[in-house]
Amino acid sequence: MQYLSFVWDPSEGIDLGFFMIRYYSLMFVIAFTLGWFIMKRIFRNEGIPLEKLDSLFIYTVIATLVGARLGHVIFYEPEIFNEDPLSVFLPFQTVPEFEFTGFRGLASHGAAIAIIIAMFIYSKKVLKKPVLWILDRVVIAVACGGIFVRIGNFINSEIIGDATHSNYGVVFKQLNEDFPRHPAQLYEAAGYIIVFLLLWYIYWKTDKRNFLGYIFGVFLILLWTVRFLVEFVKESQGGFESALGNALSTGQWLSIPFIIAGIYFMIQSSKKPYTQ
């Protein structure tokens, strides 16, 4: 039954001699690039000037990176604010000694909150449409991007799953382990593929895009349900879960409000279609 497991021991990245392209960074580039093309097609379909797409790209990139980093520190390592505040946004640590670490520690919940805030600002200053209009559309690109972020986590052997205690799973050699774990990152990526395809179908094949908040609501329900379920086979990342009795993980507690919000937006969206 050994064929049910495999050893994962990738290189650090693509070595160009003078520069190393790290796979995780490459996955982010792919995610943002595909997101740009997805939104370009949507903007053309909606008759939105493409010059407004550049602003959307900038808002989304900054919100994703800043929000994800802040989210990780706030939800999982709040002590960093006191112990080593420079490392919150800079690619190195100064405590206990100076060390270049690269940008690490990103939380999707923080990114989600920051993107919502950024889209509110973008809708008011640039787009001149209701914030739910852009949220209904940008979440399609976000769902696609999430696929590649989780693949990047898998390549980096991070956000790992629990041990399977069987012959099934992935042996993450970089963790100096010899037992298989659940490839939780790939489970989540597979779930996001389904979420993306469903959102894509709803936008292009139904009239639900005309009901403000519907697609956004579906996104919140589906994506955070995927996250909630995968957490059951994911190794704990810490956070405040112990303070709540370890009944659920920090990621699961943080996902519940998003799912409830999604239900609310879906119910509210059915009242009247948006026209302009």
Side-chain angles (χ1 to χ4, degrees):
M1 299 292 288
Q2 202 63 32
Y3 65 88
L4 292 176
S5 66
F6 69 92
V7 175
W8 181 245
D9 187 20
S11 63
E12 294 183 6
I14 303 173
D15 191 354
L16 301 178
F18 60 93
F19 182 71
M20 172 76 75
I21 302 177
R22 299 189 180 277
Y23 293 121
Y24 188 58
S25 299
L26 181 61
M27 291 300 105
F28 262 91
V29 171
I30 293 173
F32 284 124
T33 301
L34 287 178
W36 188 87
F37 280 107
I38 289 169
M39 293 308 299
K40 180 180 179 181
R41 181 171 179 183
I42 289 174
F43 271 34
R44 279 182 170 171
N45 181 60
E46 302 278 359
I48 305 297
L50 290 183
E51 56 263 26
K52 294 185 177 183
L53 184 59
D54 293 335
S55 297
L56 176 63
F57 183 80
I58 294 171
Y59 274 80
T60 305
V61 171
I62 294 175
T64 300
L65 299 178
V66 174
R69 180 57 183 157
L70 266 179
H72 174 81
V73 176
I74 292 172
F75 299 136
Y76 294 97
E77 294 185 275
E79 65 277 5
I80 291 179
F81 284 116
N82 291 324
E83 296 175 359
D84 191 12
L86 288 177
S87 69
V88 174
F89 290 115
L90 297 176
F92 56 78
Q93 66 179 28
T94 60
V95 177
E97 60 185 15
F98 183 88
E99 179 186 355
F100 181 81
T101 59
F103 291 102
R104 64 184 184 183
L106 303 175
S108 55
H109 296 91
I113 294 171
I115 288 174
I116 292 172
I117 295 172
M119 292 305 99
F120 177 79
I121 299 172
Y122 172 78
S123 66
K124 297 296 182 183
K125 290 192 172 185
V126 180
L127 195 59
K128 310 300 182 183
K129 284 180 177 287
V131 63
L132 286 175
W133 188 94
I134 187 61
L135 285 173
D136 280 335
R137 288 147 180 80
V138 78
V139 292
I140 302 173
V142 170
C144 178
I147 299 167
F148 295 94
V149 171
R150 285 298 176 247
I151 291 174
N153 293 141
F154 178 75
I155 294 173
N156 270 7
S157 300
E158 60 190 8
I159 311 183
I160 54 177
D162 292 326
T164 62
H165 304 291
S166 70
N167 287 323
Y168 164 77
V170 177
V171 179
F172 292 97
K173 201 67 174 179
Q174 293 180 358
L175 302 181
N176 297 316
E177 298 176 345
D178 59 0
F179 58 88
R181 292 179 175 273
H182 285 284
Q185 314 95 322
L186 298 184
Y187 297 163
E188 206 164 334
Y192 293 167
I193 292 174
I194 296 173
V195 174
F196 166 70
L197 292 176
L198 286 173
L199 297 179
W200 184 265
Y201 177 84
I202 292 171
Y203 176 82
W204 289 103
K205 300 298 183 180
T206 76
D207 66 347
K208 291 299 184 180
R209 66 178 179 273
N210 299 322
F211 291 80
L212 291 178
Y214 183 86
I215 297 178
F216 180 53
V218 173
F219 166 82
L220 291 177
I221 294 170
L222 294 181
L223 186 127
W224 297 110
T225 296
V226 169
R227 175 66 184 271
F228 187 92
L229 295 175
V230 173
E231 286 283 329
F232 282 113
V233 294
K234 187 184 293 184
E235 188 175 79
S236 172
Q237 293 176 268
F240 55 78
E241 59 197 45
S242 59
L244 299 176
N246 290 313
L248 297 173
S249 71
T250 299
Q252 287 173 317
W253 284 115
L254 292 172
S255 297
I256 292 173
F258 286 101
I259 296 171
I260 294 173
I263 295 172
Y264 168 80
F265 283 116
M266 283 192 68
I267 293 173
Q268 287 293 107
S269 70
S270 63
K271 293 183 177 179
K272 189 172 74 172
Y274 171 77
T275 57
Q276 181 174 341

